[in-house]
């Protein structure tokens, strides 16, 4: 069976743990993003105190729209009504609206979180999750909360030339090359990468520290003493692993 969101294979259920967690996290953060957007409506200031060119028309239209919650509430109320009908709950027309937009957003988000276990079993889950992700990304951009660019390493399959995005902090997570369609755990993927004589795998020092459970000082010492190749601030993880094995 495949996850209804990412299409990866899952042992049971309609959605994988990673997609479930991402959806739940995005929903949880929407009220704070909606409230935070209000702080970016007025003109920004540069370091010198003069108005920045970012909001040259006097206010940030995207931030204003997001803070008003019209798009957020439109989507969340649409699916809340669907859930209420399907589960024979109080219809929206009989509900008393909250006094403020902020409270209304928080109320409908709480409703969706309470019914999330049911929602992930529905055939419209992919559309719902995609819409929530889009609104969450928009809120993150407005609030200037940009997520870290994903780390990528080459696929270790010899005939494949694709790259795979990895989350170094989740070693047991499943990863998959969308080109050759091979799957591994991240732990297994990195093990294969370090033992592939035909490829060089580059990672940043923070990722290598997490992977090898070493400090930056220890990694830098290995790099200096063993002339580990460095490229654009990234390090040859295989060379570091070999150097460390000599030390151990």
């Amino acid at each position: 069976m495949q996850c209804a969101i990412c299409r990866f294979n899952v042992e049971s259920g309609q959605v994988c743990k990673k997609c479930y967690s991402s959806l739940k996290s995005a929903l949880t953060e929407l009220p704070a993003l909606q409230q935070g957007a209000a702080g970016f409506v007025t003109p920004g200031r540069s370091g010198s105190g003069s108005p920045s060119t970012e909001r040259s028309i006097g206010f940030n239209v995207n931030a204003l729209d997001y803070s008003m919650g019209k798009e957020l509430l439109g989507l969340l109320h649409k699916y809340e009504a669907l859930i209420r009908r399907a589960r024979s709950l109080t219809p929206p027309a009989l509900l008393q609206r909250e006094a403020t937009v902020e409270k209304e957003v928080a109320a409908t988000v709480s409703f969706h979180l309470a019914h999330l276990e049911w929602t992930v079993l529905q055939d419209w889950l992919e559309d719902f999750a995609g819409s929530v992700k889009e609104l969450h990304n928009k809120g993150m951009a407005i609030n200037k909360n940009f997520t870290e660019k994903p780390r990528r390493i080459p696929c270790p399959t010899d005939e494949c030339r694709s790259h795979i995005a990895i989350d170094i902090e989740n070693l047991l997570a499943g990863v998959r090359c969308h080109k050759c369609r091979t799957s591994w755990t991240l732990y297994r993927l990195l093990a294969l990468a370090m033992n592939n004589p035909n490829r060089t795998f580059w990672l940043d020092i923070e990722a290598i520290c997490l992977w090898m459970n070493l400090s930056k000082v220890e990694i830098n010492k290995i790099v200096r003493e063993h002339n580990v190749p460095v490229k654009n601030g990234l390090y040859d993880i295989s060379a570091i692993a070999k150097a460390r094995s000599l030390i151990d």
Side-chain angles (χ1 to χ4, degrees):
M1 184 178 293
Q2 291 183 327
C3 171
I5 299 175
C6 70
R7 302 303 177 185
F8 276 57
N9 291 332
V10 292
E11 294 182 0
S12 62
Q14 293 281 97
V15 63
C16 67
K17 291 181 180 180
K18 183 175 181 180
C19 288
Y20 178 88
S21 178
S22 296
L23 175 57
K24 184 176 181 179
S25 177
L27 279 169
T28 302
E29 293 173 6
L30 286 178
L33 294 174
Q34 183 269 325
Q35 294 179 44
F40 293 89
V41 172
T42 55
R45 296 277 168 179
S46 67
S48 62
S50 60
S52 73
T53 57
E54 180 185 9
R55 299 150 186 163
S56 58
I57 64 171
F59 61 91
N60 186 326
V61 176
N62 290 332
L64 178 62
D65 287 345
Y66 202 89
S67 67
M68 292 174 66
K70 185 175 181 180
E71 189 176 8
L72 271 174
L73 290 175
L75 173 78
L76 297 176
H77 281 164
K78 170 188 171 182
Y79 282 98
E80 180 176 343
L82 191 156
I83 294 170
R84 287 183 178 279
R85 285 195 301 270
R87 308 201 76 178
S88 301
L89 302 174
T90 304
L94 300 181
L95 295 174
Q96 183 176 352
R97 292 288 292 265
E98 296 293 338
T100 65
V101 171
E102 290 78 8
K103 290 182 178 180
E104 185 64 25
V105 170
T108 188
V109 164
S110 294
F111 175 88
H112 281 288
L113 290 173
H115 294 271
L116 193 56
E117 296 287 348
W118 182 88
T119 295
V120 297
L121 300 176
Q122 308 312 305
D123 56 8
W124 43 261
L125 171 64
E126 184 177 7
D127 291 336
F128 175 68
S131 297
V132 169
K133 182 179 180 181
E134 183 179 343
L135 287 174
H136 181 265
N137 289 346
K138 185 180 293 186
M140 293 284 282
I142 290 170
N143 283 269
K144 312 301 180 185
N145 294 329
F146 299 106
T147 56
E148 181 183 8
K149 185 177 180 180
R151 298 177 173 97
R152 295 179 180 273
I153 66 171
C155 175
T157 306
D158 288 334
E159 63 271 16
C160 185
R161 290 291 180 266
S162 184
H163 282 70
I164 304 168
I166 62 172
D167 178 3
I168 197 69
E169 296 188 37
N170 192 357
L171 293 176
L172 297 181
V175 291
R176 185 186 191 193
C177 175
H178 291 287
K179 185 176 181 180
C180 69
R181 300 188 180 280
T182 308
S183 300
W184 314 263
T185 63
L186 177 55
Y187 189 93
R188 176 62 177 162
L189 174 63
L190 289 175
L192 288 172
M194 290 192 296
N195 289 285
N196 189 327
N198 301 318
R199 299 278 185 90
T200 301
F201 294 85
W202 308 92
L203 275 180
D204 58 273
I205 192 168
E206 288 82 6
I208 295 172
C209 288
L210 286 169
W211 165 244
M212 295 187 169
N213 196 27
L214 296 174
S215 68
K216 288 185 179 181
V217 173
E218 291 172 313
I219 294 294
N220 283 323
K221 182 179 179 181
I222 292 174
V223 170
R224 289 193 307 269
E225 294 181 351
H226 296 270
N227 296 316
V228 172
V230 181
K231 177 182 177 182
N232 298 325
L234 303 178
Y235 299 80
D236 181 348
I237 187 173
S238 180
I240 290 178
K242 290 177 181 177
R244 187 190 181 192
S245 67
L246 294 175
I247 298 172
D248 294 341

